[in-house]
Amino acid sequence: MNDPVTPPVHALPDGEAELTLVVRLPWEDVARLGQEAGRLASQTQRPVTLDEAVSHRLRSARTAAHARPAGEQPAAPASVSSLPPRPPAEQARQAIERINATAQSG
């Protein structure tokens, strides 16, 4: 019943692979992805989904990791879990407000 399931991987014509995952994230992380999507949308002058924002973030991190000189350690990412705890409803409301504000400003 608890056997790990390997998600399907699809090869894409451009040489990349597509993998579908379900990830549970804190609302703060969802809000940050919304902000990333807003930045990408303004750069590309088109709507950007959260999926695209995640892919861009992962590619950027991979590129940055490969660009580091040998022996240099990656900087620790800023953790949103260090924020003071708030009720889930309040987290959701604020995250949605941030996402909507980013969408309106972009």
Side-chain angles (χ1 to χ4, degrees):
M1 186 81 116
N2 289 332
D3 293 339
V5 176
T6 303
V9 177
H10 303 282
L12 301 176
D14 62 2
E16 294 187 347
E18 182 175 273
L19 174 68
T20 302
L21 299 173
V22 175
V23 182
R24 292 180 60 159
L25 297 171
W27 282 109
E28 287 89 355
D29 290 345
V30 175
R32 284 186 180 190
L33 288 173
Q35 292 171 345
E36 178 77 14
R39 281 191 293 274
L40 285 173
S42 67
Q43 289 174 1
T44 60
Q45 299 298 308
R46 64 175 180 78
V48 174
T49 65
L50 291 182
D51 289 350
E52 289 179 273
V54 170
S55 294
H56 182 266
R57 174 73 52 103
L58 289 172
R59 283 187 189 104
S60 298
R62 183 184 68 207
T63 303
H66 288 139
R68 273 189 212 95
E72 185 178 324
Q73 294 297 319
S79 172
V80 294
S81 58
S82 63
L83 295 172
R86 289 176 285 149
E90 177 66 13
Q91 291 178 6
R93 185 187 62 75
Q94 289 182 352
I96 291 168
E97 286 175 358
R98 281 188 233 132
I99 290 168
N100 288 338
T102 300
Q104 291 172 358
S105 66

